[in-house]
Amino acid sequence: TGVQTCALPILGAASIALATATLPAQAQEVKVGVVMSNTGTYAFVGTAVINAVRLAFDELNAKNYFGNLKVSLAVEDNRSNTQEALALITRMATRDNAITVIGPVATGEAMAAAPVANDLKMPIFTTATSPAVLKSGPWVFKVTETADQYMTVLCEHVAQKRKPKSCYMVGIRDNEGYILQGNVFRDTADTIFLTSEIGSDAAFQKNKIPFIRSFYQNNTGKQDQVEFYANSQEAERALGE
C-alpha cells in the first residue's frame, strides 16, 4: 500500500540512526520506538501508520536488512493526546533506551514533541504536515509532503472541475497542520479563482454538528463551494449533515 511504501523509508532512515548510534560494545538488541495515535482523533492516520511500520519491519527482517543486529519495535498508543506523546517519547529515551522514535502523527503533537526530542537528542520521524516542525532542531525529521504541495493541487483541481464563483472555508483552528492547509487553499484560490469570493474562516465549535447544521442553514445558496479542512472523522460527520 501507499502507507507501507512510506513506512519503508522511515525504517530505512531509522537504520541510519542504528548505524550511527553509539551502541554498547556487545549490544545484541536495539529498540525502535513507535509513538502513534492508535485511538482517538488521529487514529485514522496513526493506526494505518502502525500497521504499515509493522509490515515494513517484517519485510526488512525477512531480507536480513539489519544483519546480525536484533532490532525490536516498541509500539505505544498516545491516544491522540499531546501530553501522553511527550511522556512516551521521554520514557523511550530515558528508560527504554530506544535509539529513535517513529511519530507522533499529528502536527500539533509533533510541534510539542520536537523541542523535547531535541533536548533528549532523540531522533523522531513524524508524519506532521507543517514544515515548521523542523525548526526545533536537527533531531526532528518529517516524512510526509507539506500542505502547500497537496493543497495547491487540490485547489487547482477544484478550480478546473467545479469552477466555483465563491467558496466558504470551515476548519479546525487549534492544529497548525490544518491551519496551514486552509491558508494554502485560500492563497491558491485567491490566485486562480479570478472572479471568486473567498468567505471568511468559520472555526468548528466544540459542539460541531449543531454548528455545521447552523452553518448550512445560514449559507444555503450563498456559496458555490464549501472547503473543510479537518480530520476525517469530523469532515465525514460534516458531509453527513
Side-chain angles (χ1 to χ4, degrees):
T1 65
V3 178
Q4 185 182 357
T5 301
C6 179
L8 282 167
I10 295 175
L11 283 172
S15 72
I16 296 173
L18 285 170
T20 58
T22 302
L23 300 175
Q26 298 189 355
Q28 296 181 345
E29 180 176 348
V30 294
K31 188 176 296 183
V32 174
V34 181
V35 176
M36 284 281 168
S37 300
N38 203 22
T39 56
T41 302
Y42 302 114
F44 74 99
V45 177
T47 299
V49 174
I50 290 171
N51 292 338
V53 166
R54 283 176 168 151
L55 287 169
F57 182 70
D58 290 344
E59 181 179 324
L60 292 173
N61 265 329
K63 295 178 179 179
N64 196 32
Y65 184 84
F66 302 113
N68 295 327
L69 191 62
K70 184 178 179 181
V71 181
S72 63
L73 291 179
V75 180
E76 295 286 353
D77 176 16
N78 72 288
R79 301 183 295 182
S80 301
N81 182 284
T82 298
Q83 292 305 312
E84 194 154 348
L86 300 183
L88 287 168
I89 290 171
T90 301
R91 192 195 76 190
M92 287 186 174
T94 59
R95 192 195 77 179
D96 299 342
N97 296 319
I99 55 92
T100 190
V101 170
I102 298 172
V105 64
T107 297
E109 296 170 352
M111 292 289 287
V116 174
N118 275 286
D119 289 344
L120 293 168
K121 296 184 178 180
M122 166 64 77
I124 63 172
F125 296 82
T126 177
T127 56
T129 57
S130 173
V133 72
L134 301 175
K135 295 179 180 179
S136 293
W139 295 89
V140 182
F141 302 87
K142 197 173 84 65
V143 296
T144 48
E145 69 273 26
T146 56
D148 60 329
Q149 293 173 305
Y150 58 84
M151 291 303 290
T152 299
V153 174
L154 175 62
C155 188
E156 291 171 348
H157 175 79
V158 169
Q160 293 170 6
K161 298 298 182 180
R162 289 189 53 83
K163 298 180 174 59
K165 299 293 184 181
S166 58
C167 179
Y168 203 99
M169 301 186 65
V170 184
I172 293 176
R173 303 299 298 278
D174 60 355
N175 182 297
E176 179 69 26
Y178 290 121
I179 292 173
L180 180 60
Q181 289 179 35
N183 290 342
V184 170
F185 189 93
R186 182 189 301 104
D187 292 345
T188 306
D190 283 340
T191 302
I192 62 179
F193 291 2
L194 299 179
T195 60
S196 298
E197 286 182 33
I198 306 299
S200 305
D201 266 346
F204 278 119
Q205 306 300 317
K206 289 184 179 180
N207 198 351
K208 299 177 179 64
I209 293 303
F211 166 75
I212 295 167
R213 187 177 295 119
S214 173
F215 164 78
Y216 276 116
Q217 289 172 349
N218 294 329
N219 290 278
T220 300
K222 297 180 182 179
Q223 305 291 336
D224 292 339
Q225 177 87 15
V226 177
E227 177 66 22
F228 285 98
Y229 49 102
N231 64 64
S232 63
Q233 292 175 328
E234 290 171 340
E236 183 178 0
R237 293 175 67 191
L239 290 172
E241 286 293 308

